[in-house]
Structures are given as C-alpha cells and as structure tokens.
Amino acid sequence: MPQMSCKRELTEEDKGEAQSHSGSVETPTAGSGIGHSGGEASMEAVVARDNLFKAFHRVKQNKGSPGVDGMTVGELDAYLREHWVAIREQLLMGCYQPSPVKRANIPKSSGGMRELGIPTVLDRFIQHAVLQVLGPLFDPTFSNSNYGFRPGKSAHQAVLAARDLVAGGRRFVVDMDLEKFFDRVNHDVLMGRLEKRVKDKRILGLVRRYLEAGVLLQGVAMERHEGTPQGGPLSPLLANVLLDEVDKVLEKRGHRFVRYADDCNVYVASQRAGQRVMALLRRLYGNLRLKVNESKSAVDKAVRRKILGYSMWWGPKGTAKLRVAPKAKEAMMQKVRDITGRSKGQSIQKVAEDLRQFLVGWKNYFSLAETPRIFLELDGWIRHRLRQIHLRQWKRGPTIYRELTARGVPDWQARAIAANSHRWWRNSAKNLNGALPNKYFDSLGVPKLAG
C-alpha cells in the first residue's frame, strides 16, 4: 500500500490551516467534476475538486504499469473513495510522503538502456495534480524555442524549426548532449529555481520529496540524492524549469536554437561561431552542475548530425530536406527483426498485428521525411521477411510444394523451391512474390511506409 505517514510533528499552524480548509473538497471519484483553471500555485489549488478530477482522468488515460505497491490504474478509483480524505489532509498539512519508485529499463534507439522510475498510481495522480497547477505558472514564460513536453508544442515542430534554420543559412550546428541528464539534476539548484516563483512551502516540500523518493531495489529503498527519475509526470516540467535559464541566455545573445527536453541544438553560420557557443554552453551547464557528454557533443555541419531521430540532406537548388537518421532507421529494422524473429513461433496473423502496431506509430512520427525511395526499400524488405516466415513455418519440402502449387506457383518452380527448402531468405526474395503478393500482406493489415 502507498506510504502516507507524516514524517514530522505537525505544528499548531499546520493543524489550523488544514482545519480551515477541511470539507472544501470532496473525494475525487469518477463523475465529481475535477480541472484547474488557473490561480496561484498553492496546495489548495492542487487539491481543488476540478483539478483533481482532471488529474484522475489523465492517469486513467495514460494507463501505465503499477508501482512498488502493485496498485493498478483500475484500482485507483476505489482506493481514493476510501483513503482520499486522509491523503488530502496530509497534502494540506505538508507532510504527505511519496512511495519509492520502481526501477524499469527500456532499450534506447541509440543502444544501451534508459532507466525509468515508475511512481505508484497514487503518486502519478498527485503529480498530475501538481503539474496542472505549476504548468500554467511556468509554461508561458518558457522560450518559444523550447518544444519539449509543452502544450501546443511537439517534436515535429522542433524538427521543422531546425530544418528552417539550416535552410536559412545556419549550416553549422552546436549539438550538445548532456550525460545522463535526468539522473544528474542537482536537487538544490532545481529547488532554487522553483522557489523564485512558487511561494507555497507545502508544494516545494512535496516536490523535493518526490525528487528524493528512493528507488526500490530487491525490496530495499535506496536513497536518491540527485536526479529526477524519468517516468514521473512532473519530471519534464522540472527539466524545463532548470534548463530555461540556458534558453534565456541564448535568446539574450541572439542565438537561434531548438531544444527538446535535454537535447539542445544551436544553429550558427560558421564553425568558429559554433566553437564560441560551445564554450558558452559548457559554462552555463556547469553553473547548473550538469555534465556535458564530450564524446557525443560537437560543432559540425548540420547535415552530419541528427535531431530527434531525423537528419537532413541537400535537395535540388540547395533546399534542406529531412530524412530518417541512419541510427533511427537501423533501430526500426532491428525492431522488425525482433517481431519477425525465427524463434517466435507465432502465427502470421499475430506477427502482422505486432508489425501494424509498431509501424503505424513509426510511420506517423517519421512522416516528415522526404525520402520515398527509402520507404519503398523498407516496404520490400519487410515483406521479404514476412515471406520468409511462411517458408519457415511450412518447413518441409512436401509441405512447401503443396502450399506453393495451391497458390498458383508453376510446378517446376514449386519443386525447385521445395528442393532447397532450407534457403529461406534467398527463396523468399523473388520466388514467392507471386504466391504471396503484396496485396496478401495488405489484407493482413501490414501498413506500407511509402505513400
């Protein structure tokens, strides 16, 4: 169960403040009309009825895995009906204690693993409620060049802005990579930025406790002294609050840049200008106690670097165009290999469904790429792998011969393929196009990337 015990003795001022607000907010259950319409950043705004209702539905919409207590999103409603009055009182008194986060690792497109910290469902609900109060306070003051995790902003907008800067003559980029940014955020530096705008000490204390919430490892909660774990609803906003100081300096000096979370690309007209900006960024990030990953950071021609999975190339008449970055393309192909792997033993219908779920999202994200030939080649490669699956599943020569002749393959060709049944990849490259045409895979729901 989530941990909710107060860690300090309540003062008479705490008790009086909580009692003065008791009864003003009902339990945030479905249908109780909960969203925050503005106002000062106070704990009363956090626990306001409308704000909580909105946070409740955000958690339900986002779904997600259980945290360390095992509570699912579907169980949150009933839990709040029983415990919300006590939780709300602790929030108003400033002594609510979050649970540790659960560690989870997901593969990164560039290789390696990214560590996530999964809060409990209850803590995700409370973080959303805090986010909906702090977001309207901070977001309007953020730089227009900051595209990460903001209302009305997107990764596509960031990529298009970068392309336009390069097309406008800024053909060099200062590509800065921060080393394990979310793991290295200094709590004192971040809280100092928050304290400039947020005066309610209960909110500040709650945010710090979320930052310091331990990570549960083999049943033991390990303390956290730096970092804001990826996976919590508050983390993106806190990252923007911290890095906004860098954005403001860049803007004041007239630099053109694109930032998405901790990825910052500054576009300049020359290598020399880029080196000056690189020195400036090293100093600014140093002031925030962040470490630059020198092996991944560089001043280079913009077409040699990537941004959010895209890279650029020069089209006709010197126009800047977008393509899928080589690493992103290879990551996509590896995912397809995993889905269509030899050891799966799944039906072709299940493989097609898994491909559809992955490829639809991938195609939507890379819809800005202006490389139709590459997408045609990928379509052919994917269908090649699907034809190979059929050969593997048919296995034996007699079965292969029977299946192919039933699909209209000439007798001589079916016999030749069956006689070399172990050569799955070579046979599926050409010889199965007639027996398993593209329209067959269309009927299974496998999307085409081209067109």
Side-chain angles (χ1 to χ4, degrees):
M1 300 292 287
Q3 183 180 359
M4 298 183 298
S5 59
C6 294
K7 294 299 183 182
R8 63 177 177 82
E9 183 177 349
L10 301 180
T11 65
E12 291 303 317
E13 183 180 359
D14 290 331
K15 296 176 182 177
E17 185 172 14
Q19 291 171 358
S20 69
H21 294 286
S22 62
S24 61
V25 180
E26 297 180 12
T27 304
T29 56
S32 60
I34 302 176
H36 178 56
S37 59
E40 64 180 27
S42 67
M43 189 60 76
E44 285 70 38
V46 170
V47 301
R49 181 187 180 99
D50 288 347
N51 190 53
L52 294 173
F53 190 61
K54 182 179 177 182
F56 178 79
H57 283 282
R58 287 286 298 276
V59 172
K60 289 187 67 176
Q61 182 180 24
N62 293 343
K63 300 180 182 179
S65 302
V68 296
D69 61 355
M71 184 192 299
T72 66
V73 171
E75 296 170 326
L76 178 61
D77 191 358
Y79 185 85
L80 290 175
R81 289 179 187 275
E82 183 177 355
H83 298 284
W84 175 246
V85 173
I87 297 169
R88 173 184 170 278
E89 184 176 0
Q90 291 174 14
L91 289 169
L92 287 171
M93 288 183 173
C95 62
Y96 174 82
Q97 183 66 35
S99 298
V101 298
K102 182 171 71 174
R103 174 177 289 180
N105 294 311
I106 61 172
K108 298 168 63 175
S109 60
S110 58
M113 303 296 290
R114 174 178 285 110
E115 181 181 315
L116 296 182
I118 304 176
T120 64
V121 174
L122 174 62
D123 282 325
R124 296 206 295 269
F125 164 68
I126 295 173
Q127 284 195 39
H128 272 300
V130 175
L131 174 65
Q132 290 160 185
V133 170
L134 296 184
L137 176 67
F138 283 96
D139 192 82
T141 66
F142 288 153
S143 167
N144 286 332
S145 298
N146 170 10
Y147 294 88
F149 308 105
R150 299 180 58 196
K153 297 281 191 176
S154 69
H156 276 186
Q157 291 177 350
V159 172
L160 291 173
R163 183 198 64 183
D164 291 345
L165 288 173
V166 174
R170 298 174 181 268
R171 300 194 171 192
F172 287 82
V173 62
V174 184
D175 186 357
M176 293 295 293
D177 185 271
L178 295 177
E179 191 170 291
K180 295 183 178 180
F181 168 74
F182 284 95
D183 295 333
R184 296 280 174 84
V185 169
N186 182 280
H187 293 172
D188 292 334
V189 173
L190 173 57
M191 292 306 301
R193 272 59 182 175
L194 286 173
E195 289 167 2
K196 294 178 180 180
R197 304 280 295 280
V198 180
K199 303 306 177 184
D200 192 318
K201 293 184 179 180
R202 295 167 299 176
I203 291 182
L204 294 171
L206 180 62
V207 171
R208 182 176 277 277
R209 288 193 292 277
Y210 273 122
L211 290 172
E212 295 175 348
V215 178
L216 196 67
L217 292 175
Q218 298 179 344
V220 179
M222 309 296 291
E223 292 185 356
R224 178 183 290 272
H225 300 289
E226 63 179 2
T228 171
Q230 287 179 272
L234 268 174
S235 291
L237 175 66
L238 297 180
N240 279 332
V241 169
L242 183 65
L243 295 175
D244 186 59
E245 182 173 310
V246 177
D247 297 346
K248 292 296 192 292
V249 173
L250 291 175
E251 286 184 329
K252 185 176 181 181
R253 299 194 177 201
H255 295 300
R256 306 297 300 276
F257 65 98
V258 172
R259 184 168 70 78
Y260 193 96
D262 57 319
D263 291 327
C264 182
N265 285 10
V266 185
Y267 293 90
V268 295
S270 67
Q271 183 86 17
R272 180 177 296 180
Q275 294 296 344
R276 291 195 296 267
V277 173
M278 177 71 84
L280 170 65
L281 288 175
R282 283 197 182 97
R283 185 168 69 253
L284 293 175
Y285 288 134
N287 292 340
L288 297 177
R289 302 186 192 178
L290 297 171
K291 186 176 181 180
V292 174
N293 188 330
E294 298 293 348
S295 65
K296 294 184 178 180
S297 301
V299 178
D300 203 348
K301 291 183 178 180
V303 293
R304 293 178 180 171
R305 308 296 289 186
K306 62 183 179 64
I307 175 170
L308 300 176
Y310 284 87
S311 58
M312 301 180 209
W313 59 285
W314 293 114
K317 300 180 180 180
T319 56
K321 292 186 175 294
L322 296 170
R323 63 174 181 169
V324 182
K327 285 188 177 181
K329 177 186 172 185
E330 178 53 38
M332 173 268 196
M333 295 178 71
Q334 185 56 53
K335 179 67 174 180
V336 172
R337 291 187 190 101
D338 293 340
I339 294 173
T340 59
R342 297 189 179 194
S343 60
K344 289 283 184 178
Q346 297 176 335
S347 69
I348 191 66
Q349 289 78 12
K350 179 62 169 65
V351 173
E353 173 61 20
D354 291 346
L355 276 176
R356 188 191 67 79
Q357 292 182 3
F358 168 65
L359 292 176
V360 166
W362 192 90
K363 178 180 179 179
N364 288 339
Y365 182 76
F366 285 104
S367 60
L368 300 179
E370 301 163 284
T371 51
R373 182 179 61 84
I374 298 298
F375 288 150
L376 281 171
E377 291 175 356
L378 287 171
D379 281 335
W381 176 77
I382 291 169
R383 279 143 188 81
H384 185 175
R385 290 195 66 85
L386 291 172
R387 292 184 180 102
Q388 179 184 237
I389 289 176
H390 276 283
L391 282 180
R392 291 203 311 264
Q393 292 179 344
W394 293 336
K395 295 181 180 178
R396 300 173 58 203
T399 304
I400 292 174
Y401 173 79
R402 184 178 67 250
E403 293 289 346
L404 291 180
T405 55
R407 287 166 169 78
V409 175
D411 183 82
W412 67 268
Q413 190 177 26
R415 289 183 183 279
I417 295 174
N420 294 280
S421 58
H422 62 285
R423 305 180 75 173
W424 294 324
W425 184 252
R426 180 174 178 178
N427 281 324
S428 59
K430 299 178 181 179
N431 299 327
L432 295 188
N433 288 10
L436 299 170
N438 286 342
K439 64 181 181 181
Y440 166 68
F441 298 112
D442 294 344
S443 70
L444 292 176
V446 180
K448 291 181 178 178
L449 302 177

